[in-house]
Amino acid sequence: AAELSWPMGQARRFAELTRADVLAFGAVLGLPGSVAGRLLDGLLKNLPAAADQLLKQALAQSLTAGEIRLLRQIRHGVLADMLRQLT
């Protein structure tokens, strides 16, 4: 599993990252919990549509089947998993 470049809360790896860890990291940066929560919620709400738009733009390019498969796996696998993990 990929290690975080900077530990966040109790998490040392991406797979361990939780909402509480992200909010704890926000506190380390000096963000009040309500602000960090609001920012995270906004990101989680808007990220799927933004990722879909980027995927659509990428698919309009000349890509190989492998590149297309990789982009779809990132969007519908990695990104979807992380969104569920942080909600």
Side-chain angles (χ1 to χ4, degrees):
E3 289 192 20
L4 297 168
S5 58
W6 188 337
M8 297 177 75
Q10 299 298 312
R12 299 297 180 262
R13 302 180 187 288
F14 278 107
E16 301 168 347
L17 199 58
T18 66
R19 180 180 184 84
D21 294 319
V22 174
L23 297 178
F25 188 69
V28 168
L29 297 176
L31 292 172
S34 60
V35 173
R38 190 169 55 249
L39 290 171
L40 180 58
D41 289 340
L43 177 65
L44 295 174
K45 178 183 174 190
N46 294 321
L47 193 56
D52 288 341
Q53 183 62 30
L54 285 172
L55 181 58
K56 183 179 176 182
Q57 290 174 5
L59 294 176
Q61 306 298 314
S62 296
L63 301 174
T64 66
E67 291 169 331
I68 292 170
R69 188 171 45 256
L70 176 62
L71 290 173
R72 286 185 174 147
Q73 287 174 334
I74 291 169
R75 167 56 187 101
H76 298 290
V78 177
L79 184 58
D81 289 346
M82 189 55 67
L83 290 171
R84 277 191 297 275
Q85 202 168 314
L86 296 178
T87 300

Coordinates of all heavy atoms in Angstrom, one line a residue:
A1 N 0.8 -1.2 0.0 CA 0.0 0.0 0.0 C 0.9 1.2 0.0 O 1.9 1.3 0.6 CB -0.9 0.0 1.2
A2 N 0.4 2.3 -0.7 CA 1.2 3.5 -0.8 C 1.2 4.3 0.5 O 0.2 4.5 1.1 CB 0.6 4.4 -1.9
E3 N 2.4 4.7 0.9 CA 2.6 5.5 2.1 C 2.3 6.9 1.8 O 2.6 7.5 0.7 CB 4.0 5.3 2.6 CG 4.3 4.0 3.2 CD 5.6 3.9 4.0 OE1 6.1 5.0 4.4 OE2 6.0 2.8 4.2
L4 N 1.7 7.6 2.8 CA 1.5 9.0 2.7 C 2.8 9.7 2.9 O 3.7 9.3 3.7 CB 0.5 9.5 3.8 CG -0.9 8.9 3.8 CD1 -1.6 9.2 5.1 CD2 -1.7 9.5 2.6
S5 N 3.0 10.8 2.2 CA 4.3 11.6 2.3 C 4.3 12.3 3.7 O 5.4 12.6 4.2 CB 4.4 12.6 1.2 OG 3.3 13.4 1.1
W6 N 3.1 12.5 4.3 CA 3.1 13.1 5.6 C 1.9 12.4 6.3 O 0.8 12.4 5.8 CB 2.7 14.6 5.4 CG 2.8 15.5 6.6 CD1 2.6 15.1 7.9 CD2 2.9 16.9 6.6 NE1 2.7 16.1 8.7 CE2 2.9 17.3 8.0 CE3 3.1 17.8 5.7 CZ2 3.0 18.6 8.4 CZ3 3.2 19.2 6.1 CH2 3.2 19.5 7.4
P7 N 2.2 11.9 7.4 CA 1.1 11.2 8.2 C -0.1 12.1 8.4 O 0.1 13.3 8.7 CB 1.8 10.8 9.5 CG 3.2 10.7 9.2 CD 3.5 11.8 8.2
M8 N -1.3 11.5 8.4 CA -2.5 12.3 8.6 C -3.3 11.6 9.7 O -3.7 10.5 9.5 CB -3.3 12.4 7.3 CG -2.7 13.1 6.2 SD -3.6 13.1 4.7 CE -4.9 14.3 5.1
G9 N -3.4 12.2 10.9 CA -4.0 11.6 12.0 C -3.3 10.3 12.3 O -2.1 10.3 12.5
Q10 N -4.0 9.2 12.4 CA -3.4 7.9 12.7 C -2.9 7.2 11.4 O -2.3 6.2 11.5 CB -4.4 7.0 13.4 CG -4.9 7.6 14.8 CD -3.7 7.7 15.7 OE1 -3.0 6.8 15.9 NE2 -3.6 8.9 16.4
A11 N -3.3 7.7 10.3 CA -3.0 7.0 9.0 C -1.6 7.2 8.6 O -1.1 8.4 8.6 CB -4.0 7.4 7.9
R12 N -1.0 6.2 8.1 CA 0.4 6.3 7.5 C 0.3 5.8 6.0 O 1.3 6.1 5.3 CB 1.3 5.3 8.3 CG 1.5 5.7 9.7 CD 2.1 7.1 9.9 NE 2.2 7.5 11.3 CZ 1.4 8.3 12.0 NH1 0.3 8.7 11.4 NH2 1.6 8.6 13.2
R13 N -0.8 5.2 5.6 CA -0.9 4.7 4.3 C -2.3 5.2 3.8 O -3.2 5.4 4.5 CB -0.8 3.2 4.2 CG 0.5 2.7 4.7 CD 0.5 1.1 4.6 NE 1.6 0.6 5.2 CZ 2.9 0.6 4.8 NH1 3.1 1.3 3.6 NH2 3.9 0.1 5.4
F14 N -2.4 5.3 2.4 CA -3.7 5.7 1.8 C -4.8 4.8 2.2 O -5.9 5.2 2.5 CB -3.6 5.8 0.3 CG -3.0 7.1 -0.2 CD1 -1.7 7.1 -0.7 CD2 -3.7 8.3 -0.1 CE1 -1.1 8.3 -1.2 CE2 -3.2 9.5 -0.6 CZ -1.9 9.5 -1.1
A15 N -4.5 3.5 2.3 CA -5.6 2.5 2.6 C -6.1 2.7 4.0 O -7.2 2.3 4.3 CB -5.0 1.1 2.4
E16 N -5.3 3.3 4.9 CA -5.7 3.5 6.3 C -6.5 4.8 6.5 O -7.1 5.0 7.6 CB -4.5 3.5 7.2 CG -3.7 2.3 7.1 CD -2.3 2.5 7.8 OE1 -1.9 3.6 8.1 OE2 -1.6 1.4 8.0
L17 N -6.5 5.7 5.5 CA -7.0 7.0 5.7 C -8.6 7.0 5.9 O -9.3 6.4 5.2 CB -6.7 7.8 4.4 CG -6.8 9.4 4.5 CD1 -5.8 9.9 5.6 CD2 -6.4 10.0 3.2
T18 N -9.0 7.8 7.0 CA -10.4 7.9 7.3 C -10.8 9.4 7.3 O -9.9 10.3 7.3 CB -10.8 7.3 8.6 OG1 -10.1 8.0 9.7 CG2 -10.3 5.8 8.7
R19 N -12.0 9.6 7.4 CA -12.5 11.0 7.5 C -11.9 11.7 8.8 O -11.5 12.8 8.7 CB -14.0 11.0 7.6 CG -14.6 12.4 7.7 CD -16.2 12.3 7.8 NE -16.7 13.7 7.8 CZ -16.9 14.4 6.8 NH1 -16.7 14.0 5.6 NH2 -17.4 15.7 6.9
A20 N -11.9 10.9 9.9 CA -11.3 11.5 11.1 C -9.9 11.8 11.0 O -9.4 12.9 11.5 CB -11.5 10.4 12.3
D21 N -9.1 11.1 10.2 CA -7.7 11.4 9.9 C -7.6 12.7 9.2 O -6.7 13.5 9.4 CB -7.0 10.2 9.2 CG -6.9 9.0 10.0 OD1 -6.6 9.0 11.2 OD2 -7.1 7.9 9.4
V22 N -8.4 12.9 8.2 CA -8.3 14.1 7.3 C -8.7 15.3 8.2 O -8.0 16.3 8.1 CB -9.2 14.0 6.1 CG1 -9.3 15.3 5.4 CG2 -8.8 12.9 5.2
L23 N -9.7 15.1 9.0 CA -10.1 16.3 9.9 C -9.0 16.5 10.9 O -8.7 17.7 11.3 CB -11.4 15.9 10.6 CG -12.6 15.8 9.6 CD1 -13.9 15.5 10.4 CD2 -12.8 17.1 8.8
A24 N -8.4 15.5 11.5 CA -7.2 15.7 12.4 C -6.1 16.4 11.7 O -5.5 17.3 12.3 CB -6.8 14.4 13.0
F25 N -5.8 16.1 10.5 CA -4.8 16.8 9.7 C -5.1 18.3 9.5 O -4.3 19.1 9.6 CB -4.6 16.1 8.4 CG -3.4 16.6 7.6 CD1 -2.1 16.4 8.1 CD2 -3.6 17.3 6.4 CE1 -1.0 16.8 7.4 CE2 -2.5 17.8 5.7 CZ -1.2 17.5 6.2
G26 N -6.4 18.5 9.2 CA -6.9 19.9 9.1 C -6.6 20.7 10.4 O -6.2 21.8 10.4
A27 N -6.8 20.0 11.5 CA -6.6 20.7 12.8 C -5.1 21.0 13.0 O -4.7 22.1 13.5 CB -7.1 19.8 14.0
V28 N -4.2 20.1 12.5 CA -2.8 20.4 12.6 C -2.4 21.6 11.8 O -1.5 22.4 12.1 CB -2.0 19.1 12.1 CG1 -0.5 19.5 11.9 CG2 -2.1 18.0 13.1
L29 N -3.2 21.8 10.7 CA -2.9 22.9 9.8 C -3.6 24.2 10.3 O -3.5 25.3 9.7 CB -3.4 22.6 8.4 CG -2.7 21.5 7.7 CD1 -3.4 21.2 6.3 CD2 -1.3 21.8 7.5
G30 N -4.3 24.1 11.4 CA -4.9 25.2 12.1 C -6.4 25.5 11.6 O -6.9 26.6 11.9
L31 N -7.0 24.5 10.9 CA -8.4 24.7 10.5 C -9.3 24.3 11.6 O -9.2 23.2 12.1 CB -8.6 23.9 9.2 CG -8.0 24.3 7.9 CD1 -8.2 23.2 6.9 CD2 -8.5 25.6 7.5
P32 N -10.3 25.1 11.9 CA -11.4 24.6 12.8 C -12.1 23.4 12.2 O -12.2 23.2 11.0 CB -12.3 25.8 12.9 CG -11.5 27.0 12.5 CD -10.5 26.4 11.5
G33 N -12.5 22.5 13.1 CA -13.2 21.2 12.6 C -14.3 21.5 11.7 O -14.5 20.8 10.7
S34 N -15.1 22.5 12.0 CA -16.3 22.8 11.1 C -15.8 23.2 9.7 O -16.5 22.8 8.7 CB -17.1 23.9 11.8 OG -16.4 25.1 11.9
V35 N -14.8 24.0 9.6 CA -14.3 24.4 8.3 C -13.7 23.2 7.6 O -14.0 23.0 6.4 CB -13.2 25.6 8.5 CG1 -12.6 25.9 7.2 CG2 -13.8 26.8 9.1
A36 N -12.9 22.4 8.2 CA -12.3 21.3 7.6 C -13.4 20.3 7.1 O -13.3 19.8 6.0 CB -11.3 20.6 8.6
G37 N -14.4 20.1 7.9 CA -15.5 19.2 7.5 C -16.2 19.8 6.3 O -16.6 19.0 5.4
R38 N -16.5 21.0 6.3 CA -17.2 21.7 5.2 C -16.4 21.6 3.9 O -16.9 21.2 2.9 CB -17.5 23.1 5.6 CG -18.5 23.8 4.6 CD -19.0 25.1 5.1 NE -18.0 26.1 5.4 CZ -17.7 26.5 6.7 NH1 -18.4 26.0 7.7 NH2 -16.7 27.3 6.9
L39 N -15.1 21.8 4.0 CA -14.2 21.7 2.8 C -14.2 20.3 2.3 O -14.2 20.1 1.1 CB -12.8 22.2 3.2 CG -12.7 23.7 3.4 CD1 -11.3 24.1 3.9 CD2 -13.0 24.5 2.1
L40 N -14.0 19.3 3.2 CA -14.0 17.9 2.8 C -15.3 17.5 2.2 O -15.3 16.9 1.2 CB -13.6 17.1 4.0 CG -13.5 15.6 3.8 CD1 -12.5 15.3 2.7 CD2 -13.2 14.8 5.0
D41 N -16.4 17.9 2.8 CA -17.7 17.5 2.2 C -17.9 18.1 0.8 O -18.4 17.5 -0.1 CB -18.8 18.0 3.1 CG -18.9 17.2 4.4 OD1 -18.4 16.1 4.5 OD2 -19.5 17.7 5.4
G42 N -17.4 19.4 0.6 CA -17.5 20.0 -0.7 C -16.7 19.3 -1.7 O -17.1 19.0 -2.8
L43 N -15.5 18.9 -1.3 CA -14.6 18.1 -2.2 C -15.2 16.8 -2.5 O -15.3 16.4 -3.7 CB -13.3 17.9 -1.5 CG -12.2 17.1 -2.3 CD1 -11.9 17.8 -3.6 CD2 -11.0 16.8 -1.5
L44 N -15.7 16.1 -1.6 CA -16.3 14.7 -1.8 C -17.6 14.8 -2.7 O -17.8 13.9 -3.5 CB -16.7 14.1 -0.5 CG -15.5 13.7 0.4 CD1 -15.9 13.2 1.8 CD2 -14.5 12.7 -0.3
K45 N -18.3 15.9 -2.5 CA -19.5 16.1 -3.3 C -19.2 16.4 -4.8 O -19.8 15.9 -5.7 CB -20.4 17.3 -2.7 CG -21.6 17.6 -3.5 CD -22.4 18.7 -2.9 CE -23.5 19.1 -3.8 NZ -24.1 20.4 -3.4
N46 N -18.2 17.3 -5.0 CA -17.9 17.8 -6.4 C -16.9 16.9 -7.1 O -16.9 17.0 -8.4 CB -17.3 19.2 -6.3 CG -18.4 20.2 -5.8 OD1 -19.6 20.1 -6.1 ND2 -18.0 21.1 -4.9
L47 N -16.1 16.1 -6.4 CA -15.1 15.4 -7.1 C -15.6 14.4 -8.1 O -15.0 14.3 -9.2 CB -14.2 14.7 -6.1 CG -12.9 14.1 -6.6 CD1 -12.0 15.2 -7.3 CD2 -12.1 13.5 -5.5
P48 N -16.7 13.6 -7.9 CA -17.1 12.6 -8.9 C -17.5 13.3 -10.2 O -17.0 12.8 -11.3 CB -18.3 12.0 -8.3 CG -18.1 12.1 -6.8 CD -17.4 13.4 -6.6
A49 N -18.2 14.4 -10.2 CA -18.6 15.0 -11.5 C -17.3 15.6 -12.2 O -17.2 15.5 -13.4 CB -19.6 16.2 -11.2
A50 N -16.4 16.2 -11.4 CA -15.2 16.7 -12.0 C -14.3 15.6 -12.6 O -13.8 15.7 -13.7 CB -14.4 17.5 -10.9
A51 N -14.3 14.5 -11.9 CA -13.5 13.3 -12.5 C -14.2 12.8 -13.7 O -13.5 12.4 -14.7 CB -13.4 12.2 -11.4
D52 N -15.5 12.7 -13.7 CA -16.2 12.3 -14.9 C -16.0 13.2 -16.1 O -15.8 12.7 -17.2 CB -17.7 12.2 -14.6 CG -18.1 11.0 -13.7 OD1 -17.3 10.1 -13.6 OD2 -19.2 11.0 -13.1
Q53 N -15.9 14.5 -15.8 CA -15.7 15.4 -16.9 C -14.2 15.3 -17.5 O -14.1 15.3 -18.7 CB -15.9 16.9 -16.4 CG -15.7 17.9 -17.4 CD -16.7 17.8 -18.6 OE1 -17.8 17.4 -18.4 NE2 -16.3 18.2 -19.8
L54 N -13.3 15.1 -16.6 CA -11.9 14.9 -17.0 C -11.8 13.6 -17.8 O -11.1 13.5 -18.9 CB -11.0 14.8 -15.8 CG -10.6 16.1 -15.2 CD1 -9.8 15.9 -13.9 CD2 -9.9 17.0 -16.2
L55 N -12.5 12.5 -17.4 CA -12.5 11.3 -18.1 C -13.1 11.4 -19.5 O -12.5 10.9 -20.5 CB -13.2 10.2 -17.3 CG -13.3 8.8 -17.9 CD1 -11.9 8.2 -18.2 CD2 -14.1 7.9 -17.0
K56 N -14.2 12.2 -19.5 CA -14.8 12.4 -20.8 C -13.9 13.1 -21.8 O -13.8 12.8 -23.0 CB -16.1 13.2 -20.6 CG -16.9 13.5 -21.9 CD -18.2 14.3 -21.5 CE -18.9 14.6 -22.8 NZ -20.1 15.5 -22.5
Q57 N -13.2 14.1 -21.3 CA -12.2 14.9 -22.1 C -11.1 14.0 -22.5 O -10.6 14.0 -23.7 CB -11.7 16.1 -21.3 CG -12.7 17.2 -21.1 CD -12.1 18.3 -20.2 OE1 -11.0 18.2 -19.8 NE2 -13.0 19.2 -19.8
A58 N -10.6 13.1 -21.7 CA -9.5 12.2 -22.0 C -9.9 11.2 -23.1 O -9.2 10.9 -24.0 CB -9.0 11.5 -20.7
L59 N -11.2 10.7 -23.0 CA -11.7 9.7 -23.9 C -11.8 10.3 -25.3 O -11.9 9.6 -26.3 CB -13.0 9.1 -23.4 CG -12.8 8.3 -22.1 CD1 -14.2 7.8 -21.7 CD2 -11.9 7.1 -22.3
A60 N -11.9 11.7 -25.4 CA -12.0 12.3 -26.7 C -10.7 12.4 -27.4 O -10.6 12.7 -28.6 CB -12.6 13.7 -26.5
Q61 N -9.6 12.0 -26.7 CA -8.3 12.0 -27.3 C -8.0 10.7 -27.9 O -8.7 9.7 -27.7 CB -7.2 12.3 -26.2 CG -7.5 13.6 -25.4 CD -7.5 14.8 -26.2 OE1 -6.6 15.0 -27.0 NE2 -8.5 15.7 -26.0
S62 N -6.9 10.6 -28.6 CA -6.4 9.3 -29.2 C -5.7 8.5 -28.1 O -4.5 8.8 -27.9 CB -5.5 9.6 -30.4 OG -6.2 10.2 -31.4
L63 N -6.4 7.6 -27.5 CA -5.8 6.8 -26.4 C -5.8 5.3 -26.8 O -6.7 4.9 -27.6 CB -6.6 7.0 -25.1 CG -6.7 8.4 -24.6 CD1 -7.6 8.4 -23.3 CD2 -5.3 8.9 -24.2
T64 N -4.9 4.6 -26.3 CA -4.9 3.1 -26.5 C -6.0 2.5 -25.6 O -6.4 3.1 -24.6 CB -3.5 2.5 -26.2 OG1 -3.3 2.6 -24.8 CG2 -2.4 3.2 -27.0
A65 N -6.3 1.3 -25.9 CA -7.3 0.6 -25.1 C -6.8 0.4 -23.6 O -7.6 0.6 -22.7 CB -7.6 -0.8 -25.6
G66 N -5.5 0.2 -23.5 CA -4.9 0.1 -22.1 C -5.0 1.4 -21.3 O -5.3 1.4 -20.2
E67 N -4.8 2.5 -22.0 CA -4.9 3.8 -21.4 C -6.3 4.1 -20.9 O -6.5 4.6 -19.8 CB -4.4 4.9 -22.3 CG -2.9 4.9 -22.5 CD -2.4 5.8 -23.7 OE1 -3.2 6.0 -24.6 OE2 -1.3 6.2 -23.6
I68 N -7.2 3.8 -21.8 CA -8.7 4.0 -21.5 C -9.0 3.1 -20.3 O -9.7 3.6 -19.3 CB -9.5 3.7 -22.7 CG1 -9.3 4.7 -23.8 CG2 -11.0 3.6 -22.3 CD1 -9.9 4.4 -25.1
R69 N -8.6 1.9 -20.3 CA -8.9 1.0 -19.2 C -8.3 1.5 -17.9 O -9.0 1.5 -16.8 CB -8.4 -0.4 -19.5 CG -8.8 -1.5 -18.5 CD -8.4 -2.9 -18.9 NE -7.1 -3.1 -19.5 CZ -6.8 -3.2 -20.7 NH1 -7.8 -3.2 -21.7 NH2 -5.6 -3.4 -21.2
L70 N -7.1 2.0 -17.9 CA -6.4 2.6 -16.7 C -7.2 3.8 -16.2 O -7.5 3.9 -15.0 CB -5.0 3.0 -17.1 CG -4.2 3.7 -15.9 CD1 -4.1 2.7 -14.7 CD2 -2.9 4.1 -16.4
L71 N -7.6 4.7 -17.1 CA -8.3 5.9 -16.6 C -9.7 5.5 -16.0 O -10.1 6.0 -15.0 CB -8.6 6.8 -17.8 CG -7.3 7.5 -18.3 CD1 -7.6 8.3 -19.6 CD2 -6.8 8.4 -17.2
R72 N -10.3 4.5 -16.6 CA -11.6 4.0 -16.0 C -11.4 3.4 -14.7 O -12.2 3.5 -13.8 CB -12.3 3.1 -17.0 CG -12.9 3.9 -18.2 CD -13.7 3.0 -19.1 NE -14.4 3.8 -20.1 CZ -14.6 3.5 -21.3 NH1 -14.3 2.2 -21.7 NH2 -15.2 4.3 -22.2
Q73 N -10.3 2.6 -14.5 CA -10.1 2.0 -13.2 C -9.8 3.0 -12.2 O -10.2 2.8 -11.0 CB -8.9 1.0 -13.4 CG -9.2 -0.3 -14.1 CD -8.0 -1.2 -14.4 OE1 -6.9 -0.7 -14.5 NE2 -8.3 -2.5 -14.6
I74 N -9.1 4.0 -12.5 CA -8.8 5.1 -11.6 C -10.1 5.8 -11.1 O -10.4 5.9 -9.9 CB -7.8 6.2 -12.1 CG1 -6.4 5.5 -12.3 CG2 -7.8 7.4 -11.3 CD1 -5.5 6.4 -13.1
R75 N -10.9 6.1 -12.1 CA -12.2 6.8 -11.8 C -13.2 5.9 -11.0 O -13.7 6.3 -10.0 CB -12.8 7.3 -13.1 CG -14.3 7.8 -12.9 CD -14.4 8.9 -11.9 NE -15.8 9.2 -11.6 CZ -16.5 8.8 -10.6 NH1 -16.0 8.0 -9.7 NH2 -17.7 9.2 -10.4
H76 N -13.4 4.7 -11.5 CA -14.4 3.9 -10.9 C -13.9 2.9 -9.9 O -14.7 2.3 -9.2 CB -15.2 3.1 -12.0 CG -15.8 4.1 -13.0 ND1 -16.9 4.8 -12.7 CD2 -15.5 4.4 -14.3 CE1 -17.3 5.6 -13.7 NE2 -16.4 5.3 -14.7
G77 N -12.6 2.8 -9.7 CA -12.1 2.0 -8.7 C -11.4 2.8 -7.6 O -12.0 3.0 -6.5
V78 N -10.2 3.3 -7.8 CA -9.4 4.0 -6.8 C -10.2 5.2 -6.3 O -10.3 5.4 -5.1 CB -8.1 4.4 -7.4 CG1 -7.3 5.3 -6.4 CG2 -7.3 3.2 -7.9
L79 N -10.7 6.1 -7.1 CA -11.4 7.3 -6.7 C -12.7 6.9 -6.0 O -12.9 7.5 -4.9 CB -11.6 8.2 -7.9 CG -12.3 9.5 -7.5 CD1 -11.4 10.3 -6.6 CD2 -12.5 10.3 -8.8
A80 N -13.4 6.0 -6.5 CA -14.7 5.6 -5.8 C -14.4 5.0 -4.5 O -15.1 5.4 -3.5 CB -15.5 4.6 -6.7
D81 N -13.4 4.2 -4.3 CA -13.0 3.6 -3.0 C -12.6 4.7 -2.0 O -13.1 4.7 -0.9 CB -11.9 2.6 -3.2 CG -12.3 1.4 -3.9 OD1 -13.5 1.1 -4.1 OD2 -11.4 0.6 -4.3
M82 N -11.8 5.7 -2.5 CA -11.4 6.7 -1.6 C -12.6 7.6 -1.1 O -12.7 8.0 0.0 CB -10.3 7.6 -2.2 CG -9.6 8.6 -1.3 SD -9.0 7.9 0.3 CE -7.6 6.9 -0.3
L83 N -13.5 7.9 -2.1 CA -14.6 8.7 -1.7 C -15.5 8.0 -0.6 O -15.9 8.6 0.3 CB -15.5 9.0 -3.0 CG -14.9 9.9 -4.0 CD1 -15.7 10.0 -5.2 CD2 -14.8 11.3 -3.4
R84 N -15.7 6.7 -0.8 CA -16.4 5.9 0.2 C -15.7 5.9 1.6 O -16.3 6.0 2.6 CB -16.6 4.5 -0.2 CG -17.8 4.3 -1.2 CD -18.1 2.8 -1.4 NE -17.0 2.1 -2.0 CZ -16.8 2.0 -3.3 NH1 -17.6 2.6 -4.2 NH2 -15.8 1.3 -3.8
Q85 N -14.4 5.8 1.5 CA -13.6 5.7 2.7 C -13.6 7.0 3.5 O -13.5 7.0 4.7 CB -12.1 5.5 2.3 CG -11.2 4.9 3.3 CD -9.9 4.4 2.7 OE1 -9.9 3.7 1.6 NE2 -8.8 4.7 3.3
L86 N -13.8 8.2 2.8 CA -13.7 9.5 3.5 C -15.1 10.1 3.8 O -15.2 11.1 4.4 CB -12.9 10.5 2.6 CG -11.5 10.1 2.4 CD1 -10.8 11.1 1.6 CD2 -10.8 10.0 3.8
T87 N -16.2 9.4 3.4 CA -17.5 9.9 3.6 C -18.0 9.5 5.0 O -17.6 8.5 5.6 CB -18.5 9.3 2.6 OG1 -18.0 9.7 1.3 CG2 -19.9 9.8 2.8

